[in-house]
Structure formats: C-alpha cells, structure tokens
Amino acid sequence: MRQFIAFVKKEFFHVLRDRRTLLILFGMPLAQILIFGFALTNEIKNAQVVVIDHARDDASRHIINRLAASSYFEVRENVMDKSRMEAAFKEGHIKLAVVFPARFQSDLNHQNHAQIQVIADASDPNGATTLTGYVSSIIQDYQTELNEGNGLPYRITPEVRMLYNPQLKGAPNFVPGVMALVLMLVSVMMTAISIVREKETGTMEVLLVSPFKPMWVILAKAVPYLLLSLVNVLSILSMSVWVLDLPVAGSWLLLFAESTLFIITCLTLGIFISIRAKSQQVAMLISLMGMLLPTMMFSGFMFPIENMPVPLQIFANIVPAKWFYIIVKSIMIKGVGLEGIWRETLILCGITLFFFVISLKSFKIRLE
C-alpha cells in the first residue's frame, strides 16, 4: 500500500509540474465554457437592416421605431434604389431590407389592408428565416394593437422575398463552411507535422548542411500540400455542382484564386506551428484544437458572429476562415466579383504575410 501511495504521489508531482498538462486540465474547460456560453447561440442579434420608407407616415414610423427598439436589429434608414440595395446585399453590408409602399397608411385606413415587403439574404437560410420571423412578429404585434377596440380589423401582410436562395436549401450555407473547415484542418495539420517529423527522424541535420536557403526549405515543404489541397477544392466544388445542385454563380477562376490564397494562409500557419512544436503529437494537438474550434465557432459558419460579445467579435477578425467563408459565399452564391471582396482578400494577404515572416524568422533562429 505504501508503494502504491508513493507511486500516486509521484504521478501527481509529474502532473503538477507540467504546465501544459495543467493548462489542458484546467484552462481548456474554463475557456470552452466561457466561449460556448457566449458564442454558441442560434439567436440572431444586432443584424444590419435597412428600412426604405416610401410612405413616411405615422404607421410606418411606428413600425420602424419598434424594429429599432428591438435588440435583434440595427436599423439603417435610407432611401435607395433597387440596384443600390442589391449591391448592399451582395457586399454583405445588410442582412434584411424592409420596404414600405408609398400609400401604406392610406391603404391601411381606407382598405383595412396594407403590405410590407421584407427582403432577406437567404444565402444563410437559417438566419433569413429567423430574421423574417422576427419582423413578422413585430408587425403582428403592431397589428394586434391597432385592432384593439376597432370594429373592422386592420391587416398588414409581410411580403417576404428570399434573395440568392429562395428554396432555403442548406447547401449554400453548408458548402462554403465545409470548404473553410476542410482546407484549414488538412493544410494546417499536414504541414504542421512535416518539419517536426524531420526533427524526430534526424533528417533535419541533412537539411541544415544542404546549400538550400531556409526559405526554399519552407516552400519545398508547402508545395505538395498546396497541390493536394487544390485537389480537395476541386472535389468539393464538383460535388456541390453535380451532387448538391449548387452551381457557382460567380467566376470559377476567381474562386480558385481565392481558395489558393486561403490554402497558402493555412500552410503558413501550419509551418509556424511545425517550427515551434517539439513533437508530432504536440503539433497535431495544436492544429486540431487551435484550428478546429476557432474555425467552427468564429467563421460565421455555424453561429452568427453578430451575437457574440465585442471581444469575441474582435478575436473573430484574426481567424482566416471567417474571411474565406465570406469570400466563398459571395462568389458562389451571390456572383460577386473581386470589387466586392477586395477587403477580405487584402486581410487574408496580410495574415499570410505575417505568419510567413515570423515562420521564416523562427526557422532561422532554430538553425542558429
């Protein structure tokens, strides 16, 4: 029994003096509870909504005030034509548009019936359904208030229109998210293991005495995974077109170029992890835990980023999958060109350049 107790004490000492083990045991559960509690919700808040009020009467003003008072919407009042509204939808600046006809209150008073057009971005079908449900509920509450004590009931009918995905299929939201998730995991994990494997097998010394420059060693490690990831892109797009009946609305060439940029971003992340990690197991763990959860939670694929607290929204901006997810949806579903996604493209380029530079510097330090 004494030997058993001594052995248990020894194991406790091993665990307590290993900071990485303590971080996994205590830090990760706390972080996941906090992140899951704040980030993982299907409720939509602070959605960007534009109100086009052609009536400008008391009835439309009451409904607009109710929309603005709701925590679900951030209302922008604007008078824009159809082309500008469609451009705002394509660029992702708004999620919903509420259009009041010119004779809204007059129709309501004289005909006891009026219509409101509700236009939603259905490239995210769940979000579009939720937002239109919120608007319909607010309109229904106002209608009920009008009908109290009136002999003839007033009726306001929301005319709902779903852009880009009128059938509300799940594939337009599913395919871009899967592309971001698969490319991130495969590119980062495979590259992260490559340099660590060289260190563990002892072949790194051969590379050190070779005439290759450090930059060429890094590029040589990345090129095979770049080509294999491009094959993954082609297979995912082929399945989306031929199996899921989801054609690419925009340019195939632009989509491949943006996918290549994202793959390079992931490869630079994997190389950085590979240089810093001391074993293949550590590199794989960092790749899975450090890339899988942020990609799922902070890309906008599964959970709306607008719902999250401001610190988490800021953190989401450094997750490359968020920007790639926006790019793929814009090209595949909305048919947007480079003029609509140049900001996201520049951000991905900046992230790629940053990790490539620090990876190269870290590799040179290790060589010294």
Side-chain angles (χ1 to χ4, degrees):
M1 181 61 68
R2 290 181 180 178
Q3 292 178 347
F4 176 74
I5 295 175
F7 186 79
V8 171
K9 288 183 179 180
K10 179 183 72 68
E11 291 300 320
F12 266 114
F13 290 147
H14 277 300
V15 172
L16 293 177
R17 69 184 182 184
D18 189 345
R19 295 181 179 178
R20 288 177 296 183
T21 303
L22 290 176
L23 180 62
I24 294 173
L25 288 175
F26 301 108
M28 188 177 297
L30 292 175
Q32 287 182 349
I33 289 175
L34 291 174
I35 293 174
F36 276 58
F38 284 110
L40 270 63
T41 174
N42 290 320
E43 185 181 16
I44 298 178
K45 295 181 180 179
N46 303 319
Q48 298 294 322
V49 177
V50 65
V51 174
I52 304 176
D53 187 5
H54 298 302
R56 296 187 177 275
D57 50 37
D58 292 339
S60 65
R61 176 58 56 188
H62 278 299
I63 296 177
I64 293 171
N65 290 338
R66 288 170 180 254
L67 291 173
S70 171
S71 63
Y72 302 126
F73 306 112
E74 288 187 4
V75 176
R76 302 178 183 177
E77 292 187 55
N78 196 4
V79 178
M80 60 172 63
D81 55 21
K82 182 179 178 181
S83 61
R84 288 180 58 195
M85 182 181 66
E86 290 180 352
F89 271 113
K90 284 187 175 182
E91 294 171 1
H93 292 162
I94 58 175
K95 298 288 186 181
L96 195 79
V98 180
V99 183
F100 291 89
R103 297 174 55 83
F104 178 70
Q105 187 169 9
S106 177
D107 292 342
L108 197 60
N109 292 333
H110 294 89
Q111 303 177 17
N112 295 89
H113 175 258
Q115 286 187 331
I116 299 175
Q117 188 176 33
V118 180
I119 306 173
D121 181 356
S123 59
D124 179 4
N126 295 328
T129 303
T130 303
L131 289 176
T132 54
Y134 291 159
V135 173
S136 299
S137 178
I138 291 173
I139 294 174
Q140 183 66 35
D141 289 341
Y142 177 70
Q143 176 181 299
T144 303
E145 183 179 307
L146 284 179
N147 290 333
E148 291 179 357
N150 291 328
L152 294 175
Y154 293 106
R155 186 161 55 92
I156 303 174
T157 305
E159 181 187 343
V160 179
R161 177 187 169 197
M162 298 292 184
L163 293 180
Y164 313 119
N165 184 20
Q167 294 85 13
L168 296 179
K169 295 180 179 180
N173 187 53
F174 172 76
V175 172
V178 169
M179 282 184 63
L181 187 62
V182 169
L183 294 180
M184 174 64 76
L185 289 180
V186 171
S187 302
V188 172
M189 186 170 61
M190 293 295 100
T191 314
I193 297 174
S194 61
I195 295 178
V196 180
R197 186 188 303 117
E198 300 286 354
K199 289 189 273 188
E200 290 188 346
T201 56
T203 55
M204 180 59 74
E205 287 76 10
V206 179
L207 294 175
L208 296 180
V209 298
S210 65
F212 278 9
K213 295 182 179 180
M215 184 178 67
W216 294 114
V217 174
I218 293 177
L219 292 177
K221 291 288 183 183
V223 168
Y225 300 111
L226 171 62
L227 299 178
L228 292 174
S229 298
L230 286 175
V231 173
N232 275 332
V233 172
L234 183 60
S235 62
I236 292 173
L237 292 178
S238 300
M239 289 185 64
S240 68
V241 173
W242 301 108
V243 179
L244 300 176
D245 194 22
L246 180 64
V248 178
S251 168
W252 279 80
L253 181 61
L254 179 60
L255 183 57
F256 269 102
E258 296 289 348
S259 299
T260 304
L261 173 60
F262 179 67
I263 293 169
I264 294 174
T265 305
C266 298
L267 293 176
T268 57
L269 280 169
I271 291 171
F272 176 71
I273 294 172
S274 183
I275 293 172
R276 306 298 299 181
K278 296 182 179 180
S279 66
Q280 294 186 55
Q281 290 79 7
V282 173
M284 186 174 295
L285 180 63
I286 296 175
S287 302
L288 288 175
M289 300 302 296
M291 297 294 111
L292 176 62
L293 291 179
T295 301
M296 292 179 62
M297 292 189 295
F298 297 109
S299 64
F301 166 42
M302 298 184 66
F303 308 102
I305 298 176
E306 295 85 358
N307 297 1
M308 303 177 187
V310 175
L312 292 182
Q313 293 186 33
I314 296 174
F315 175 77
N317 291 329
I318 65 174
V319 177
K322 171 190 173 181
W323 306 109
F324 181 66
Y325 179 65
I326 295 173
I327 289 171
V328 175
K329 284 182 64 176
S330 300
I331 298 174
M332 286 190 66
I333 313 303
K334 301 179 181 180
V336 174
L338 183 60
E339 69 280 356
I341 55 173
W342 64 269
R343 296 180 185 87
E344 292 80 5
T345 303
L346 286 179
I347 292 173
L348 275 183
C349 290
I351 296 174
T352 304
L353 182 61
F354 172 77
F355 278 103
F356 181 78
V357 170
I358 63 174
S359 298
L360 190 59
K361 288 184 177 180
S362 298
F363 191 62
K364 288 181 178 178
I365 292 173
R366 291 297 175 93
L367 291 181
E368 295 173 356

